[in-house]
Every structure is written in C-alpha cells, then in structure tokens.
Amino acid sequence: MSPALDTRNPLVSYDLLRLLADNVPALIAYYSADAMRCEFANAAYAQTYSRDTQSIVGKTLVEIIGEDAAAVIEPYVAQVLLGKSVSYERPLVFPNGSPGVIEVTLVPNFGQGKNPLGAFVLINNITKHRAAEQAIRDSEERLRKFSDATSEGIAFIENGVVVDCNEASARMLRIPASKLIGRANLDFVAPESVEAVTNNIRAGFERPYEVTLLRADGTRFVADLVGKDIVSGGKTLRMTAMRDISDRKQAEARIQFLAHHDILTHLPNRALLMDRLQ
C-alpha cells in the first residue's frame, strides 16, 4: 500500500476509510506515479469499469480504462505527474450502457518529498448538469427563432435597460438592434405614456395596454404593449411584446369620421348633429 494510504493510525481504520469511500456520491481512486497502477478504488469507481474493489487494485490505468481513453487523458496525467492539479471533462459510457459526461480532478500526492508519489482521482457524474444546460440552450434557441419569426417587437429589459431584442422591435423603432440594446426603455416612450409604462412594470402587470411610443427619428406611433416578468440566468427580466396599431387606430378614426360626416362633402351629418344635441 502507498505511504499516502497507510492506515496504521489507530484513529483511522482501513474499514472506516473503505466505508466512507464507498458511500460518497463520487468515484474515488489512487494511482501510483511509477507505473500508474491503481492502489485504491471505491466501489463506484471499480463498478464503473466493470470490476470490484479487490480485482481493480494492481491494474494499470491502461488496463482499467482502455488504450483509447488513456490516450485521450495522457496530457492531464502528464501534468499531475509534474505536480500540478488538473481538472477536465470527458464522455463515458456507464455500466448500464448509458452515455454520460464525467468531471475528473487529479491531485498529486507529494508525501514527504518534492516529487509526486501518485495521484488522487476524484470523478463526478455531471451528465444531468450538462443535459440541463443543453436544455436551457435549446429553449433559448427556440425562443430566439420564435422572436425572430414573429412580426411583433420583443424586447428584454433589466433595470430599465434593453438587454436583448428581436429584429422586429428594431424595425418598429427604426434603430439597429445593436444600438437599441443598452438603451433605456423609457427613451422610446412618449412623455404622456411614461407613467402608464412605469406603473405596469412596477406592478408586474401582464395585461395588454395602449401607449404612444417614439421612434428613433422622433416620430410617434400608437402601440399595444404586453409585459411579463421572467427569470433567466438567475436574473429577473421584463419581456415586453409590442405591436404597432397605428393603422388600426387610423381605420377606427376613419370609420368614426364617416359615421358622422357626409361621404361627398365631408360636412357633419344628422348623426353628428343628434350626438351633439344629446
């Protein structure tokens, strides 16, 4: 047994060491520096390579993980034998046949000298973490494709500043998306609508409401806004969807005008007279 694993200390029995190692949620092993032979492994480590804790001891790294895997991690082994701690990730097929990803940490053991006597190996299964990260990336990609495909302007606001937006919102406000990001959202709100926008954001309302917005060139237009608070990357963002309803408002005004004026002369008709009399 390696000096690093000498358990003759009466306060620490080998049985206790084995009990602890076999019940931690990680793969643990120790390899000697001279031939990279396994001198200790917990049950999880041994089972991952289809062995038990007895038969794995004395086997070389190549014999345990295979020539291909050993070739992949050779640069990291070289680093730990030079006395450096290293961490890396690599794919691994687990005993049940399922593919996964592991995070490996190699720590040199110097004993009482300057040269490493061996290396401690600590392996964590991070398959679920990487899958969760990929799911988030996929979700963000779907959201990006959706926001780019819709004709509605979509902007993400954090603490009153636009942090992301789609091309539709940039076109609507007549400003490049790269220049819209980083601007205060109230820069594009007409003075008479600032209070309505501020109150909706502060209260977290998710109902649609009408406001007057300002384009980058100073022109005004009427828009429907709908906001929603979302959490992304541990931060709370205000996602705002905007729809230009200027054409609809003009059409409504035209219908209202025609209902109360003569089509040919544009003079007030009987309906408007009666309305005013009432």
Side-chain angles (χ1 to χ4, degrees), residues 158-237:
E158 180 184 4
N159 297 325
V161 176
V162 179
V163 295
D164 199 2
C165 64
N166 66 348
E167 288 297 329
S169 62
R171 290 193 301 270
M172 196 176 298
L173 297 173
R174 296 179 184 173
I175 183 174
S178 59
K179 293 185 178 180
L180 177 56
I181 295 173
R183 292 282 298 274
N185 64 314
L186 295 181
D187 288 349
F188 302 94
V189 180
E192 64 270 24
S193 295
V194 168
E195 184 177 359
V197 172
T198 302
N199 289 341
N200 272 268
I201 293 176
R202 185 183 298 115
F205 290 143
E206 299 182 3
R207 61 195 181 199
Y209 61 103
E210 290 185 11
V211 295
T212 301
L213 299 182
L214 300 174
R215 299 186 178 93
D217 58 10
T219 57
R220 303 156 67 94
F221 68 100
V222 183
D224 257 346
L225 295 187
V226 180
K228 182 177 179 62
D229 291 335
I230 64 172
V231 177
S232 177
K235 299 178 180 180
T236 299
L237 306 179

Side-chain angles (χ1 to χ4, degrees), residues 13-149:
S13 69
Y14 179 80
D15 291 339
L16 178 59
L17 175 62
R18 169 60 62 188
L19 179 65
L20 290 173
D22 287 344
N23 285 277
V24 296
L27 281 63
I28 301 174
Y30 179 82
Y31 284 83
S32 62
D34 52 359
M36 289 305 292
R37 290 186 182 276
C38 180
E39 296 192 6
F40 179 86
N42 69 349
Y45 186 93
Q47 291 167 6
T48 297
Y49 297 102
S50 302
R51 297 177 184 273
D52 56 45
T53 55
Q54 299 299 319
S55 63
I56 199 171
V57 173
K59 301 295 183 181
T60 65
L61 180 65
V62 174
E63 291 174 329
I64 294 172
I65 70 174
E67 293 184 358
D68 293 341
V72 170
I73 69 171
E74 193 279 330
Y76 305 110
V77 174
Q79 290 293 309
V80 77
L81 292 180
L82 290 175
K84 300 178 181 179
S85 296
V86 294
S87 294
Y88 60 92
E89 296 178 13
R90 74 179 184 90
L92 180 71
V93 177
F94 292 99
N96 62 4
S98 63
V101 181
I102 58 173
E103 180 184 54
V104 184
T105 300
L106 304 179
V107 180
N109 169 37
F110 292 98
Q112 300 299 320
K114 295 182 179 180
N115 297 321
L117 300 176
F120 294 99
V121 181
L122 176 64
I123 300 176
N124 288 298
N125 182 353
I126 59 172
T127 305
K128 291 183 178 179
H129 298 292
R130 291 295 172 263
E133 291 174 356
Q134 186 61 49
I136 293 174
R137 286 192 293 269
D138 292 343
S139 178
E140 291 176 345
E141 180 64 19
R142 287 193 296 270
L143 179 60
R144 170 60 62 185
K145 290 180 178 179
F146 169 77
S147 65
D148 288 342

